[in-house]
Amino acid sequence: MKTFAAISLFIFTGIFTALFFGFDLSEASESLEYDDEQEGLEDEIVIKFSHVVAENTPKGKAVRKFASLVQDWSNGDIKVEIYSNGTLYNDQNEYTALKDGHIQMIAPATSKLTERFPQWQVLDLPFAFPSYEAVKQAYQGEIGTTLLNTVEKDGIKGMTFWYNGYKQVTSNKQPLLVPADFNRTHLRIMPSPMIESQFQSLGASTSKLPFNKTYSNLEVNFINGQENTPSNIYSKKLFEEQAYMTISNHGYLGYVVLINGTFWKDLSKEHQTIVQEALNETTDWIWRHSIEMNDAHLRKIKRADSIDVHYLTNEQKESWKQTFEPVYEEAENTIGKRLMEEIYTIQEQY
Ligand code: LMR
């Protein structure tokens, strides 16, 4: 009995002490202690930069470089928060999130703007660019300027183009070398009508799937293959689910860097210059490094036992080109005469 009374007294004292001394909720609602490192926090400008690829890719590294330049040059006034791998927004909703101001910058593959702005399909024409220099000329010349202007109607500012590399096709059925090999092959593509029609002309069927769903769809065999750059194929481990890769260089994957228009206008002139110059330097950097990054990733893919890498012969490439002729004939309707003439001029030059 004595023991019972002692235990009860102990519990009661404990509850009493906790209520009156232990759980002082007023403390939680009090304002934070003064901390001079927090000073100016509300003045800090934050750029949320969302993208869908891995960190160890041309775009992943370029965003990091841009972020550190902006932070350094603005003495920490502008902070760039990076959301990679589609962790905040994916390729289906990042454009709307940018437009609505939930994030301030994105750098989607140019193909992802083609459904909203059909002219962007000019960059997805098959074998559009005979060389890297030709890509650069398109981005920096009249094609680039015309395309960057299109997004203004969404209250978005087109800032620059970034480079990745030529796309290659992979499959788990058979090597994709001549058009007949594409029969009964189901491929993942980016949402671009131009890419869709080129693969359909080769005889394949396609699904427009988000980038970050590609691996899982290869894994369950919903798709048999896909097209992408070596850096994306390697960093997302897509090659592990594929038995064949063809170095076809049939298309180029590059990016457009976009910023929310209101956010841009609200920046001071000095901050606009910092952002613009950091982008110029990053564009220059990704131009110089994207080729070697893709080459390094291709070498790693070649070392994997699970996949055979083939190169298109000139003859095989010619058979693809012939198949694509109707795609070029129809393109003028969606892309317009002026941009088509511009792309033909670039093709003749390089
Ligand atoms: C893709 O969807 O395959 C690419 O756009 C991913 C990227 O951003 O490089």
Side-chain angles (χ1 to χ4, degrees):
M1 192 63 195
K2 257 187 185 169
T3 320
F4 177 75
I7 291 172
S8 303
L9 183 68
F10 179 74
I11 292 173
F12 176 77
T13 315
I15 293 173
F16 180 84
T17 313
L19 278 176
F20 285 87
F21 303 105
F23 302 143
D24 186 0
L25 293 176
S26 63
E27 215 173 80
S29 60
E30 261 170 30
S31 60
L32 289 169
E33 267 184 77
Y34 175 74
D35 171 358
D36 61 3
E37 281 177 9
Q38 304 267 322
E39 208 173 9
L41 206 55
E42 22 344 327
D43 302 333
E44 189 180 64
I45 297 164
V46 176
I47 296 179
K48 289 190 174 143
F49 200 136
S50 173
H51 70 83
V52 299
V53 295
E55 299 277 353
N56 61 336
T57 56
K59 178 162 67 178
K61 290 186 174 182
V63 176
R64 287 209 160 274
K65 182 170 182 65
F66 166 72
S68 96
L69 291 175
V70 166
Q71 270 159 230
D72 280 0
W73 293 350
S74 69
N75 293 320
D77 285 356
I78 310 176
K79 182 173 173 228
V80 181
E81 286 176 2
I82 303 170
Y83 299 91
S84 57
N85 284 303
T87 45
L88 190 58
Y89 291 101
N90 61 35
D91 34 15
Q92 289 172 312
N93 55 21
E94 64 179 9
Y95 186 85
T96 308
L98 178 77
K99 191 167 167 244
D100 296 345
H102 300 309
I103 46 180
Q104 287 67 45
M105 288 182 81
I106 59 173
T110 58
S111 310
K112 295 194 179 147
L113 268 66
T114 55
E115 285 184 323
R116 179 145 185 75
F117 303 107
Q119 281 178 301
W120 283 76
Q121 292 179 73
V122 68
L123 302 174
D124 283 336
L125 280 162
F127 296 112
F129 303 109
S131 69
Y132 294 110
E133 287 293 335
V135 176
K136 192 178 192 182
Q137 167 142 353
Y139 285 178
Q140 296 191 348
E142 192 185 336
I143 294 181
T145 311
T146 308
L147 297 179
L148 288 181
N149 286 339
T150 58
V151 295
E152 265 173 29
K153 78 166 194 200
D154 283 339
I156 289 172
K157 186 168 163 59
M159 302 296 285
T160 186
F161 289 92
W162 280 353
Y163 303 87
N164 184 339
Y166 284 107
K167 291 181 288 181
Q168 321 300 347
V169 282
T170 64
S171 149
N172 66 1
K173 285 178 83 181
Q174 72 267 334
L176 301 171
L177 301 174
V178 290
D181 298 331
F182 284 84
N183 274 337
R184 288 190 294 280
T185 302
H186 190 56
L187 303 177
R188 178 268 169 176
I189 56 164
M190 291 185 278
S192 161
M194 179 61 69
I195 298 177
E196 185 174 33
S197 58
Q198 58 191 265
F199 281 114
Q200 283 175 357
S201 73
L202 286 168
S205 58
T206 54
S207 280
K208 297 171 182 168
L209 297 170
F211 179 57
N212 286 297
K213 294 271 187 297
T214 307
Y215 183 90
S216 53
N217 277 284
L218 285 172
E219 206 177 17
V220 298
N221 270 315
F222 173 67
I223 45 174
N224 320 112
Q226 58 83 46
E227 51 145 23
N228 224 309
T229 60
S231 68
N232 279 342
I233 294 171
Y234 181 76
S235 60
K236 285 288 171 189
K237 297 188 166 62
L238 306 181
F239 70 98
E240 290 182 358
E241 293 298 322
Q242 299 284 269
Y244 307 98
M245 177 173 186
T246 305
I247 305 302
S248 50
N249 295 330
H250 62 282
Y252 186 86
L253 193 156
Y255 305 109
V256 57
V257 182
L258 303 173
I259 195 163
N260 176 281
T262 311
F263 174 80
W264 174 257
K265 280 189 213 115
D266 288 347
L267 287 178
S268 67
K269 282 273 163 293
E270 189 198 339
H271 285 158
Q272 283 185 349
T273 307
I274 288 171
V275 170
Q276 186 62 69
E277 284 179 0
L279 279 177
N280 295 348
E281 187 152 327
T282 309
T283 301
D284 199 46
W285 179 89
I286 199 170
W287 163 250
R288 285 184 285 110
H289 293 283
S290 52
I291 300 174
E292 79 204 22
M293 279 188 251
N294 275 299
D295 284 351
H297 282 150
L298 179 58
R299 282 197 295 277
K300 289 186 175 180
I301 294 170
K302 281 180 178 169
R303 282 205 288 272
D305 292 335
S306 53
I307 187 161
D308 287 340
V309 180
H310 301 260
Y311 283 76
L312 276 193
T313 62
N314 285 342
E315 222 172 56
Q316 288 163 343
K317 188 171 169 182
E318 235 10 79
S319 68
W320 288 43
K321 282 191 169 178
Q322 272 172 23
T323 311
F324 291 145
E325 274 166 18
V327 175
Y328 266 82
E329 278 155 26
E330 280 162 35
E332 201 170 293
N333 299 330
T334 42
I335 292 165
K337 213 173 158 76
R338 203 164 55 84
L339 291 186
M340 285 305 286
E341 275 168 8
E342 196 58 35
I343 202 82
Y344 288 135
T345 310
I346 291 176
Q347 287 174 353
E348 275 163 24
Q349 237 173 300
Y350 292 94

